[in-house]
Amino acid sequence: MSTQDSRGILFTHTRPQEGFRLLELTPELEELLTSKDAPVLELKSPSAALAQAVVDPAAHDYVNLCTPTQTYRIRQVQSSNSLHILRPSRGEISQADIKVVEEEAGESGTLNLPDEAVTAVAKCSSTLELHIPPGGFSAVPFLEKSLRLYDRRSDDDGDIAMGGSTNSTSPLGSKEMRAARENVCEDIPVSTAQCEQGWMELCAFVDGVEEVACWRPSARSRLAVWKRLAEGAVLQGIDLEKQFLVGDLWKSVLDDDEEMEPPFPRALLEAVVRRICIANERPPLVDDIKWASFDKVECTQWVGETYLAANAPTTSSAIGRSEFLRAWKDCLPESWRGEAALSKLPNGCYNTPDPTTICFVEPSQRQPTNKTASTPATTAKAKNTRNWHELLKGRR
């Protein structure tokens, strides 16, 4: 207990102050950093070109903190209470940092101070807050801007050609494909897991034609791959709902004439198979996909959404609903046709310009779900504990 006879603690501050920033950690991030195998965190921001993929023009200049699986937006928030970072004065301090009337500095230019002296080395009047916006983060818009578009087109002679030769000069190894993929994801301001998720959703792939390049197939190309593999599976007796060898599926799409070029790169077929195979059987991107099986309901949903994106991408290109349902069923194996119904499509993926037509809605234009809409309330609740004395009270 302090008394009037007790000595005070001498308080000084250094000049210039050190550049400390206080980062408020979420409970999940704190647990991750204090774990036995704490991962390396990354600070990532998009390049000037990639920043154009952001819908909000005011949000171009930002930094994200990325764990291996999660992404947080870093925001600077002013605090009503400044926080001083202190350290022991170690018995002496420079005369330029303090004026003491009672004592004079020695020849060394330092003042002998009691052991109880402390020095403020930094003053923090703001904190860095970690924020996850409604809907979270996605690598898809950045990948769409970074990757080359792989699309089918009709030549003048009526033959179908792809966006480049389908016969690679030499097969790419796993290390080459991984290096190319990581090079693309390096400037994308989301976590590695979220970048890989976006890569998988787009059916992106790496192929070496004249050079090693990363591609994202158009909806028309994805649909063409699906039709070809579905036909091949029927001809070769491959049950898509049971585990099958992806190599056998690739052989089923090739022409009998060995001199004919493949209809598309094998890497594209593997990317489509990886996208629509059962999730808990899906290997990581770093591993080759050798075995796969499809869930009838989820696969049917993906085929319907892809068909709509390929044939009715905008309101002006809307098609009849009955026409769409008929074409959707024709893309499916016979035993799956009963699964094709508008109610099976993902929420918000289509629009009906009038009672008889239907068109695709881009993911970025879809209305948020009720679950997403409740996120801001959670964020606002966290802001109620902005004062540092309240945040630190429970840690004493």
Side-chain angles (χ1 to χ4, degrees):
M1 180 179 295
S2 62
T3 66
Q4 293 182 351
D5 296 331
S6 64
R7 297 180 58 186
I9 298 177
L10 187 61
F11 177 78
T12 67
H13 74 279
T14 60
R15 296 178 184 173
Q17 295 274 282
E18 297 184 25
F20 279 95
R21 290 292 183 271
L22 294 177
L23 178 64
E24 182 180 346
L25 301 179
T26 63
E28 298 80 11
L29 188 55
E30 181 183 9
E31 182 179 355
L32 183 66
L33 292 176
T34 55
S35 62
K36 183 178 180 181
D37 300 318
V40 175
L41 304 185
E42 295 180 283
L43 292 175
K44 303 179 73 174
S45 59
S47 62
L50 280 180
Q52 301 301 320
V54 180
V55 177
D56 183 6
H60 285 177
D61 298 327
Y62 59 86
V63 175
N64 288 346
L65 178 67
C66 301
T67 71
T69 60
Q70 187 60 273
T71 303
Y72 301 91
R73 177 69 48 82
I74 298 180
R75 302 190 304 185
Q76 180 169 295
V77 180
Q78 296 297 323
S79 175
S80 59
N81 299 322
S82 297
L83 194 67
H84 292 270
I85 308 297
L86 307 180
R87 74 180 180 195
S89 295
R90 300 171 184 172
E92 60 180 24
I93 192 169
S94 172
Q95 188 177 14
D97 293 335
I98 184 173
K99 293 181 179 180
V100 179
V101 178
E102 293 80 7
E103 299 184 30
E104 294 182 358
E107 296 180 357
S108 62
T110 61
L111 296 171
N112 295 324
L113 300 177
D115 293 337
E116 294 83 1
V118 293
T119 299
V121 297
K123 177 183 177 182
C124 302
S125 58
S126 63
T127 61
L128 299 179
E129 177 188 70
L130 298 180
H131 172 67
I132 300 178
F137 293 92
S138 173
V140 170
F142 298 100
L143 288 171
E144 287 178 336
K145 193 170 185 66
S146 302
L147 302 174
R148 299 184 184 183
L149 179 64
Y150 196 95
D151 194 17
R152 297 183 63 176
R153 64 177 185 270
S154 295
D155 289 338
D156 294 337
D157 58 2
D159 294 334
I160 297 296
M162 306 297 286
S165 172
T166 58
N167 190 18
S168 302
T169 55
S170 60
L172 293 177
S174 299
K175 291 184 178 179
E176 292 175 296
M177 290 191 290
R178 181 177 182 178
R181 185 172 60 248
E182 290 179 349
N183 186 54
V184 170
C185 295
E186 190 174 31
D187 290 332
I188 295 179
V190 299
S191 68
T192 300
Q194 290 167 321
C195 195
E196 291 181 352
Q197 177 67 21
W199 182 281
M200 183 272 299
E201 289 179 7
L202 291 175
C203 299
F205 65 100
V206 183
D207 189 48
V209 184
E210 297 177 356
E211 59 178 345
V212 177
C214 299
W215 302 87
R216 60 176 179 92
S218 65
R220 184 166 50 176
S221 293
R222 298 196 302 270
L223 186 64
V225 172
W226 164 257
K227 288 181 177 180
R228 191 71 179 244
L229 72 84
E231 292 172 359
V234 172
L235 293 176
Q236 298 298 324
I238 298 175
D239 188 346
L240 297 178
E241 293 186 72
K242 297 180 180 179
Q243 277 206 335
F244 57 85
L245 280 168
V246 177
D248 290 344
L249 190 63
W250 170 246
K251 293 177 182 178
S252 73
V253 307
L254 300 177
D255 294 313
D256 294 334
D257 188 351
E258 296 182 356
E259 296 183 358
M260 291 287 292
E261 289 187 355
F264 39 76
R266 176 168 178 166
L268 174 54
L269 177 134
E270 292 179 350
V272 171
V273 171
R274 188 187 295 271
R275 168 63 182 85
I276 58 180
C277 72
I278 296 177
N280 58 11
E281 297 178 1
R282 183 182 298 136
L285 280 178
V286 295
D287 297 333
D288 295 332
I289 181 166
K290 298 180 179 179
W291 294 87
S293 61
F294 299 156
D295 179 81
K296 177 172 62 175
V297 175
E298 293 183 3
C299 189
T300 298
Q301 182 186 76
W302 180 85
V303 172
E305 185 178 8
T306 303
Y307 183 92
L308 202 57
N311 294 278
T314 62
T315 302
S316 60
S317 60
I319 58 178
R321 284 200 282 184
S322 58
E323 175 190 349
F324 163 64
L325 289 171
R326 183 169 57 253
W328 182 7
K329 292 178 180 180
D330 290 342
C331 293
L332 300 172
E334 188 65 31
S335 61
W336 293 15
R337 292 172 65 90
E339 296 293 331
L342 293 181
S343 60
K344 300 294 181 68
L345 290 173
N347 292 332
C349 82
Y350 68 90
N351 187 24
T352 52
D354 59 63
T356 61
T357 60
I358 188 172
C359 66
F360 181 69
V361 177
E362 292 288 344
S364 60
Q365 304 299 322
R366 298 175 189 178
Q367 295 296 324
T369 61
N370 293 334
K371 182 179 180 180
T372 303
S374 64
T375 304
T378 304
T379 305
K381 183 177 180 180
K383 292 182 179 180
N384 292 335
T385 57
R386 178 60 50 215
N387 293 329
W388 279 102
H389 68 275
E390 295 179 6
L391 291 171
L392 300 176
K393 184 185 300 182
R395 299 178 180 271
R396 293 177 181 174

